[in-house]
Amino acid sequence: MFGDMMGMMNKIKETQEKVEATKERLKTVSFEEKSSDGLLQITITAAREIKNISIADELLEDKEQLEDYLVLTLNKAIERASEMNEAELAAVAKDGMPDIPGLDMFK
């Protein structure tokens, strides 16, 4: 019984370490999200950190339009980063969970 318990505890610790390593790796994974017409471009990491915002000169002429573009494009970028982040972390957690009968958290 205690051997099984120690094995489970080791597996959980191993999983925690993998989750932390995955979080660090996600800080280095970046992608670009663009407005539908390409006038605004956001570079964001999978850890949801904005790295760059590129704005076409024509958007600088209309403050309200620029604000709308920023809100829409940033929200799309954050949603995409969140989906990637959650999927990666869930995969690591599911893979590393000990097999405990009756505990089907990730199915």
Side-chain angles (χ1 to χ4, degrees):
M1 178 177 172
F2 288 112
D4 290 342
M5 183 66 86
M6 289 303 292
M8 280 193 280
M9 295 303 288
N10 286 338
K11 183 120 175 145
I12 289 171
K13 183 178 180 195
E14 209 176 277
T15 299
Q16 287 173 330
E17 290 169 358
K18 287 181 181 178
V19 165
E20 289 306 314
T22 300
K23 285 180 181 179
E24 287 301 311
R25 184 180 58 77
L26 289 173
K27 290 178 182 179
T28 66
V29 175
S30 62
F31 56 91
E32 295 176 353
E33 187 66 49
K34 295 180 182 180
S35 60
S36 58
D37 57 8
L39 296 178
L40 179 71
Q41 182 174 315
I42 309 284
T43 303
I44 187 170
T45 68
R48 297 178 290 259
E49 181 180 345
I50 304 295
K51 291 294 190 177
N52 188 47
I53 297 176
S54 177
I55 303 169
D57 289 340
E58 61 194 83
L59 281 179
L60 297 176
E61 298 167 8
D62 185 344
K63 179 181 182 280
E64 190 173 311
Q65 182 183 18
L66 174 57
E67 291 170 346
D68 290 343
Y69 269 65
L70 282 167
V71 169
L72 291 171
T73 309
L74 281 167
N75 282 335
K76 284 187 342 189
I78 291 168
E79 180 180 347
R80 190 169 156 203
S82 293
E83 288 170 358
M84 181 183 292
N85 188 297
E86 291 167 13
E88 291 283 329
L89 291 175
V92 169
K94 180 180 179 185
D95 184 48
M97 288 300 292
D99 188 19
I100 302 172
L103 188 63
D104 313 359
M105 290 175 43
F106 296 104
K107 287 187 177 182

